[in-house]
Amino acid sequence: MPIKLVTTVADLHTESARLLASRRGTSQGLVPTMGALHQGHAALARTAVEQNDVVVATIFVNPLQFGDATDLDRYPRTLDADLALLEGQGVDLAFAPSVDEVYPGGTPLVRITSGVLGEKWEGASRPGHFDGALTVVAKLLHYGIPGAGLPASGVAEAGLPAYRAYFGQKDAQQLALVRRMVADLNFPVEIVAVPTVRAVDGLALSSRNRFLSGEEREAALVLFRALRLLEERAKAREPLDLESAQAMVESQPLVGLDYFDVVDPATLEPLAENCRETPFRGEALALIAAKVGPVRLIDNVPLSS
Ligand code: PAF
């Protein structure tokens, strides 16, 4: 079925309600994006389509999560290609609102605060980023609540449809924060994490990869190699020896390491020293961020043994 583009919240509600009703659907999935879509987003969309009767993807470059106006202006806008990619995955509706539609009163006075979890790691180098991201995610999650456009009698008859929203594991801190917001503020939605999609050489797909030169892209592979080393050590129940993996990244001249640590997957607090030195047991996340040429890259792998 061709994808339908809507730009207002009212049309989103009308069209999603129409689709739910005509399919006698019992579930709706939401895939929030900022566009410039790649195969990582395709995996989010595909998973949502497999699990839901109606799927909405949002395309909105959120000014609130950019520290710098130049970065906001430079963010790639590729609506036609984005629509084609979403349609290829079977998404029903693309919601691409204007800034005025999302923030009709201008910059919102009341926002979501991401707390200490939003101040560390990526938050340390991008102050305010996660407050801005969570504020728009809260709004998008509200827009996507299924049944908002159905008459009350229709909802009562059919019962409330299930509601799921899809986020990439690649943005581990954003995912942890969204989960925390949904739990702390009782949002009626299940958050589904979709594994990171990688190029054949292991580089995690990201809209920023397009800004890497060939040489920088080659250098960036050390991030994945270092993460994989930890993954293998964890699986083998060996000491993680994070320091040797850090040294491997630091030996690459084109890569400026920002952080590389092993953390609790929910709180993102670093694991105690002794977990790194003794044979690894349990569940953790290895997080890495580095500047490669002009591009800041992040990646992570889950560790388990
Ligand atoms: O991950 C993103 O693309 C954005 O942060 C999100 C979740 C769409 C909010 O603007």
Side-chain angles (χ1 to χ4, degrees), residues 32-34 41 58 60 62 65 75 129 133 136-137 140 167 171 174:
T33 83
M34 295 208 299
H41 298 105
T58 70
F60 178 63
N62 172 35
Q65 68 191 80
Y75 196 86
H129 166 73
V136 86
V137 169
L140 298 173
F167 292 85
D171 292 308
Q174 173 172 273

Side-chain angles (χ1 to χ4, degrees), residues 48 130 144:
F130 287 116

Side-chain angles (χ1 to χ4, degrees), residues 19-20 23-29 48-55 92 164:
L19 285 169
L20 264 178
R23 292 176 188 174
R24 297 183 180 278
T26 58
S27 56
Q28 186 159 301
V49 168
E50 280 162 12
Q51 298 182 352
N52 298 280
D53 297 318
V54 173
V55 173
D92 301 295
R164 305 182 183 95

Side-chain angles (χ1 to χ4, degrees), residues 77-91:
R77 270 97 170 157
T78 56
L79 185 62
D80 289 344
D82 294 345
L83 294 175
L85 179 140
L86 294 170
E87 183 170 291
Q89 302 307 319
V91 170

Side-chain angles (χ1 to χ4, degrees), residues 178-252:
V178 170
R179 284 195 188 288
R180 201 49 211 262
M181 174 177 76
V182 162
D184 285 353
L185 302 180
N186 304 89
F187 281 44
V189 61
E190 177 193 345
I191 300 301
V192 182
V194 178
T196 303
V197 179
R198 299 181 180 281
V200 276
D201 55 14
L203 189 69
L205 298 193
S206 159
S207 315
R208 297 183 186 169
N209 292 353
R210 68 186 74 194
F211 301 120
L212 293 168
S213 69
E215 201 189 355
E216 288 159 355
R217 195 183 181 293
E218 191 57 37
L221 295 178
V222 76
L223 271 61
F224 176 60
R225 280 203 285 269
L227 288 172
R228 199 173 44 190
L229 190 63
L230 293 189
E231 197 181 21
E232 282 161 6
R233 286 178 183 158
K235 266 196 207 126
R237 298 191 165 188
E238 289 171 5
L240 295 179
D241 189 8
L242 181 61
E243 285 69 25
S244 69
Q246 279 166 345
M248 179 174 158
V249 179
E250 278 161 349
S251 70
Q252 172 52 256

